[in-house]
């Protein structure tokens, strides 16, 4: 355990809890594996050889470090704070997901596992998982809801090209939540040889802490780059939150910097006061799903409510336990952006900066479009631009009424 | 003595294994489901596992998932499940009822209130699939204080050290999951189960039932010779699915016929008279 006195960065506790959130709510069959994963991860974390192999892959394979780009025209357009974009979209496979997948596949190899499974929503995590599985020659099965397969066709093709088997999931809302159920069912039936690469800071302990650790490279670099460029820390860091892995990776290194404000941005779909949204932290209540306790979208009877967002990667009725804890602590604040606002930001960033953001990341940009004009010109905002928007052009074209 | 303890003690005296059918409460609707429940004891059920429908049953295979979907579509909810047990207890004071489900249903209801209400309507045990021993204290302790047992799992991945921790605070009986997997998808491996039950018996005096993967009277008989109870779920809820269009009477009749056949072979197994 990484015990720092009076720090917000020392969680979770030994049993995997962030305050009242987190834990290990899985079937007994999985528990021995979850415990051995925790042991293997703790050992790997302290092993310089593991860390060296991971840094080497992050640099030479994923293309890190990613730039911190001053968005000059967006800054001028909004007329307030100075806006920087942390360019996770420039990573190999086009999003932050590769950071985590490289870490987990090295761990899978260390544990002697010979088969990889994963769930995916937008397909970014599926592509990143299929990529590292190809790189290390391991067979790989990706579970993806049929609704998501339809709206993210290019990513389905990419995964197959990379040698992965993509299994369509037809149960429930046929999106990320159901793909996760199906991946858990596969895992419990194949515990002896299979490693489950979870794509976000969700699931049973140690996943939320482990995925966070692999993603904190985002915030660590942003922190150093801002200090280098501006001689000080940003006043505000912003990231989109579904499960919340790019967000926690961006936020975590700043948690103990009291002067840095932290905003997570959820998907409001048609609006948080309509039934069609994915604003789990803003509008949900605590519950237990997919292995941990966190905020959830659920009805009075504890049945999970289907989430809705134009962005498949944010279309999830749960969120990370650490985000749930940060919300209750008040250290991070969470906001929600509608489909329309995200689309407007998608178009604006494309036209002003020549950067087509992922629809997920466009939610963070849209939030900054609201808050930056209220800030002083010498204040600094860093947005995690978690992925690129190539995968989204078909669904955006459809919404804008263009035929491709 | 609790209803569960009394039932297992009586079965031991008779030299029989328990037949433990699982049905999802409210599948395909509350009315039909209750008609099945109230007639299960006469069909040979020694203990009844009553499923609490949940939107995301991660440990269940397609048959039980589908039964949950049917029940929720028909308006099932945890308060209605408790009401069903209350109604059942008016006519049957001895057959133990164990509620089986996922923790979020109980969490949303409120754990303290749930334990109180469950005890009050006559629930005897709880099986919560996603509450391993590391997390179960929050429910196990208040439940036991009300005389309700939290049933713990033993699985093919449980080693001896973990088995010791599992049985240390266990009560009621143990549930051995015969295959690593979800409900109703693989066949029960008899020899492995025999070895596992021997390990469990060496660790505890509690009864041990076996479930996941038992579909036929032959399999039920084989497990009845080894274990203290035989749980059948997917095959039974499958009968509901097969007869949906035929209506309530046919569904009830088909489910009870399968239950009678499974109960018959379970009960006869140790006396060498196995019906097939």
């Amino acid at each position: 355990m990484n015990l720092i006195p009076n720090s917000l960065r020392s969680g979770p506790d030994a049993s995997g809890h962030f305050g009242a959130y987190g834990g290990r709510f899985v079937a007994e069959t999985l528990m021995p594996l979850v415990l051995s994963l925790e042991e293997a991860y703790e050992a790997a974390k302290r092993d310089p050889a593991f860390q060296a192999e991971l840094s080497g892959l992050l640099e030479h394979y994923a293309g890190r470090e990613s730039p911190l780009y001053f968005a000059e025209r967006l800054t001028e357009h909004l007329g307030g704070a100075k806006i920087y974009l942390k360019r996770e979209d420039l990573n190999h496979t086009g999003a932050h997901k590769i950071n985590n997948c490289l870490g987990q596949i090295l761990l899978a190899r260390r544990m002697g596992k010979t088969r990889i499974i994963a769930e995916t929503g937008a397909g970014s995590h599926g592509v990143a998982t299929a990529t590292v599985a190809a790189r290390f020659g391991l067979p790989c099965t990706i579970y993806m809801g049929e609704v998501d397969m339809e709206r993210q066709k290019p990513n389905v093709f990419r995964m197959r090209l990379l040698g992965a088997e993509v299994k369509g999931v037809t149960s429930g809302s046929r999106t990320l939540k159901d793909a996760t159920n199906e991946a858990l069912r596969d895992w419990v039936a194949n515990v002896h040889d299979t490693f489950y690469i979870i794509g976000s800071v969700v699931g049973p302990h140690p996943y939320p802490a482990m995925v966070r650790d692999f993603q904190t490279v985002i915030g660590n670099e942003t922190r150093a780059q801002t200090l280098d460029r501006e001689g000080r820390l940003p006043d505000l860091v912003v990231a989109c939150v579904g499960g919340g892995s790019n967000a926690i990776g961006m936020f975590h290194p700043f948690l103990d910097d009291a002067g840095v404000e932290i905003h997570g941005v959820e998907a409001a779909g048609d609006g948080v006061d309509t039934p069609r949204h994915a604003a789990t932290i803003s509008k949900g209540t605590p519950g237990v799903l997919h292995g941990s306790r966190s905020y959830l979208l659920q009805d009075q009877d504890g049945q999970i409510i289907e989430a809705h967002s134009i962005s498949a990667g944010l279309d999830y009725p749960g969120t990370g336990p650490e985000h749930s804890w940060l919300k209750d602590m008040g250290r991070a604040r969470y906001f929600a952006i509608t489909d329309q606002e995200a689309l407007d930001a998608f178009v604006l960033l494309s036209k002003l900066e020549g950067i087509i953001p992922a629809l997920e990341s466009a939610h963070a940009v849209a939030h900054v479009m609201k808050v930056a004009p209220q800030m002083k010109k010498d204040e600094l905002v860093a947005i995690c631009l978690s992925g690129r928007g190539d995968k989204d052009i078909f669904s955006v074209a459809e919404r804008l009424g263009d035929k491709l | 003595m609790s209803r569960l303890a009394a039932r297992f003690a009586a079965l031991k005296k008779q030299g029989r294994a328990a037949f433990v059918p699982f049905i999802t409460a409210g599948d395909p609707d509350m009315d039909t489901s209750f008609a099945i429940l109230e007639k299960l004891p006469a069909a040979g059920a020694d203990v009844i596992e009553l499923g609490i429908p949940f939107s995301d049953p991660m440990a269940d295979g397609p048959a039980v998932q589908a039964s949950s979907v049917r029940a929720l579509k028909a308006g099932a909810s945890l308060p209605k499940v408790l009401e069903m047990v209350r109604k059942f207890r008016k006519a049957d004071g001895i057959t133990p009822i164990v509620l089986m489900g996922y923790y979020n249903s109980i969490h949303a209801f409120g754990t303290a209130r749930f334990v109180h209400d469950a005890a009050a309507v006559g629930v005897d045990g709880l099986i919560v699939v996603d509450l391993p021993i590391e997390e179960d204290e929050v429910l196990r302790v208040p439940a036991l204080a009300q005389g309700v047992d939290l049933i713990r799992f033993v699985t093919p991945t449980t080693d001896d050290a973990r088995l010791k921790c599992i049985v240390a605070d266990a009560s009621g009986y143990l549930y051995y999951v015969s295959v690593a997997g979800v409900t109703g998808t693989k066949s029960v491996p008899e020899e492995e189960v025999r070895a596992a039950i021997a390990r469990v018996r060496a660790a505890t005096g509690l009864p041990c039932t076996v479930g996941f993967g038992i579909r036929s009277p032959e399999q039920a008989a084989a497990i009845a010779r080894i274990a203290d109870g035989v749980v059948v779920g997917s095959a039974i809820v499958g009968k509901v699915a097969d007869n949906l269009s035929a209506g309530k009477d046919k569904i009830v009749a088909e489910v009870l016929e399968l239950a009678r056949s499974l109960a018959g072979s379970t009960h006869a197994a140790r006396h060498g008279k196995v019906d097939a």
Side-chain angles (χ1 to χ4, degrees):
Chain A
M1 277 274 296
N2 180 26
L3 287 173
I4 313 164
N6 302 317
S7 171
L8 293 171
R9 303 189 63 194
S10 59
D13 66 17
S15 59
H17 291 88
F18 299 90
Y21 301 102
R24 290 173 284 214
F25 296 88
V26 294
E28 174 59 30
T29 307
L30 288 176
M31 267 315 293
L33 186 65
V34 164
L35 292 169
S36 74
L37 173 63
E38 181 186 354
E39 200 177 309
Y41 175 59
E42 286 303 318
K45 214 159 74 173
R46 287 188 300 269
D47 179 356
F50 177 86
Q51 295 299 344
E53 189 177 9
L54 180 56
S55 325
L57 285 164
L58 286 172
E59 182 182 347
H60 301 293
Y61 189 69
R64 300 207 74 91
E65 70 179 8
S66 68
L68 184 72
Y69 165 73
F70 171 46
E72 192 175 354
R73 295 194 66 213
L74 180 66
T75 299
E76 263 172 37
H77 176 81
L78 295 176
K82 208 170 164 184
I83 299 163
Y84 282 93
L85 303 178
K86 178 59 175 166
R87 298 291 307 274
E88 292 298 303
D89 60 316
L90 293 178
N91 294 335
H92 180 40
T93 73
H96 68 291
K97 296 290 186 187
I98 191 81
N99 304 329
N100 168 47
C101 289
L102 282 170
Q104 288 199 47
I105 201 144
L106 291 186
L107 200 57
R109 280 159 52 87
R110 214 179 145 95
M111 292 177 74
K113 300 294 181 187
T114 54
R115 175 175 175 263
I116 299 297
I117 58 168
E119 84 296 338
T120 196
S124 299
H125 174 59
V127 168
T129 302
T131 298
V132 299
R135 166 65 183 75
F136 288 98
L138 294 177
C140 169
T141 299
I142 306 289
Y143 289 93
M144 187 169 191
E146 283 200 333
V147 169
D148 291 340
M149 287 178 75
E150 183 54 35
R151 56 183 167 178
Q152 303 289 346
K153 279 182 195 156
N155 272 344
V156 174
F157 178 70
R158 277 186 194 104
M159 288 183 268
R160 288 183 172 145
L161 188 66
L162 290 159
E165 176 193 15
V166 182
K167 281 198 178 164
V169 175
T170 54
S171 57
S173 55
R174 294 174 292 144
T175 59
L176 180 53
K177 149 182 103 76
D178 312 285
T180 306
N181 290 338
E182 218 47 51
L184 282 164
R185 290 180 187 124
D186 180 314
W187 198 26
V188 79
N190 297 289
V191 274
H192 57 288
D193 68 351
T194 296
F195 192 99
Y196 180 12
I197 299 189
I198 294 184
S200 194
V201 284
V202 299
H205 178 64
Y207 281 100
M210 176 172 74
V211 175
R212 172 199 71 201
D213 292 349
F214 290 138
Q215 292 293 2
T216 49
V217 65
I218 303 173
N220 285 334
E221 285 179 8
T222 303
R223 200 168 185 284
Q225 288 165 321
T226 318
L227 282 172
D228 185 48
R229 299 273 284 281
E230 296 280 350
R232 64 188 192 88
L233 295 176
D235 299 285
L236 171 65
V237 294
V238 182
C240 64
V241 181
S245 70
N246 90 88
I248 209 79
M250 181 73 164
F251 298 167
H252 205 257
F254 294 104
L255 289 180
D256 289 334
D257 299 311
V260 179
E261 210 174 315
I262 295 173
H263 291 181
V265 185
E266 299 190 288
D270 290 349
V272 290
D273 297 319
T274 74
R276 291 171 53 87
H277 66 78
T280 307
I281 305 179
S282 312
K283 299 296 274 189
T285 50
V288 172
L289 179 69
H290 296 153
S292 58
R293 186 171 187 274
S294 72
Y295 277 88
L296 297 178
L297 296 179
Q298 58 183 331
D299 69 13
Q300 273 197 327
D301 195 41
Q303 310 298 343
I304 307 305
I305 296 171
E306 293 172 13
H308 288 280
S309 167
I310 189 173
S311 136
L314 303 181
D315 202 346
Y316 182 64
T319 193
E322 194 165 12
H323 284 295
S324 303
W325 178 71
L326 287 170
K327 181 225 159 108
D328 285 5
M329 297 279 294
R331 177 61 187 99
R333 292 165 66 201
Y334 294 85
F335 302 84
I337 285 294
T338 64
D339 287 352
Q340 189 55 52
E341 291 168 328
L343 277 166
D344 293 345
F346 183 95
V347 171
L348 186 77
L349 196 70
S350 302
K351 296 213 160 131
L352 281 181
E353 297 288 351
I355 296 171
I356 302 174
L359 273 173
E360 291 77 13
S361 324
H363 285 73
V365 175
H367 175 68
V368 169
M369 284 164 62
K370 290 182 177 175
V371 299
Q374 323 301 326
M375 297 171 72
K376 295 191 208 95
K377 290 202 173 192
D378 61 351
E379 288 186 295
L380 307 176
V381 177
I383 305 174
C384 183
L385 201 75
S386 55
R388 60 175 169 244
D390 308 41
K391 68 181 173 55
D392 295 314
I393 54 171
F394 296 96
S395 47
V396 171
E398 199 186 308
R399 280 290 289 255
L400 298 179
D402 277 338
K403 266 241 169 345
L404 287 188
Chain B
M1 193 187 275
S2 73
R3 268 186 291 261
L4 271 172
R7 177 53 50 99
F8 278 107
L11 288 167
K12 194 171 181 180
K13 230 181 207 168
Q14 298 162 23
R16 305 201 276 122
F19 170 57
V20 187
F22 167 94
I23 59 168
T24 298
D27 170 30
D29 56 70
M30 293 313 290
D31 189 36
T32 308
S33 182
F34 183 75
I36 295 169
L37 178 69
E38 68 174 347
K39 295 188 186 78
L40 273 175
D46 299 298
V47 176
I48 299 169
E49 286 184 8
L50 188 59
I52 305 167
F54 181 49
S55 55
D56 292 77
M58 280 122 17
D60 284 299
V64 177
Q65 284 176 47
S67 76
S68 234
V69 169
R70 290 192 295 270
L72 290 173
K73 250 191 197 146
S77 64
L78 184 47
K80 287 184 188 169
V81 176
L82 292 171
E83 176 56 26
M84 196 171 163
V85 178
R86 197 187 59 77
K87 230 168 102 187
F88 174 85
R89 276 280 168 258
K90 283 188 189 164
D92 186 322
I94 53 169
T95 308
I97 292 211
V98 177
L99 295 186
M100 182 165 187
Y102 292 81
Y103 186 50
N104 201 51
S105 303
I106 295 167
H107 186 278
F109 192 88
T111 303
R113 185 179 140 223
F114 169 74
V115 164
H116 172 269
D117 290 7
V121 300
V123 168
D124 302 286
L126 305 171
I127 302 176
V128 186
V129 180
D130 54 354
L131 214 51
I133 58 173
E134 282 78 0
E135 302 285 352
D136 75 4
E137 193 178 330
V138 60
L139 180 64
R140 179 173 46 80
V141 173
L144 202 56
Q146 301 272 352
V148 176
D149 296 307
L150 182 71
I151 308 306
R152 285 180 157 184
F153 288 102
V154 178
T155 79
T157 62
T158 308
D159 65 15
D160 286 338
R162 190 167 173 85
L163 179 59
K164 233 186 217 173
C165 301
I166 291 171
V167 302
D169 294 309
S171 68
Y173 61 94
L174 290 163
Y175 188 132
Y176 181 71
V177 175
S178 70
V179 292
V182 293
T183 51
T185 49
K186 296 182 186 171
S187 270
V188 57
E190 201 182 317
E191 280 320 301
E192 286 167 39
V193 172
R194 187 188 306 278
I197 297 299
R199 280 207 301 140
V200 173
R201 293 218 195 285
T204 178
L206 284 175
C208 186
T209 68
V210 174
F212 282 46
I214 303 166
R215 306 190 64 86
S216 67
E218 294 83 353
Q219 287 170 325
I223 296 303
R225 285 186 209 105
I226 304 170
D228 301 306
V230 177
V231 185
V232 182
S234 294
I236 291 177
V237 301
K239 280 284 175 215
V240 177
D242 293 346
N243 294 284
L244 279 178
S245 54
K248 177 182 166 183
D249 292 347
K250 175 81 169 161
I251 293 170
V252 175
E254 287 285 323
V255 168
L256 292 174
E257 191 189 312
L258 176 63
R260 268 190 296 273
S261 145
L262 291 161
S265 50
T266 301
H267 293 155
R270 294 197 202 154
H271 304 287
K273 301 174 293 188
V274 182
D275 304 332

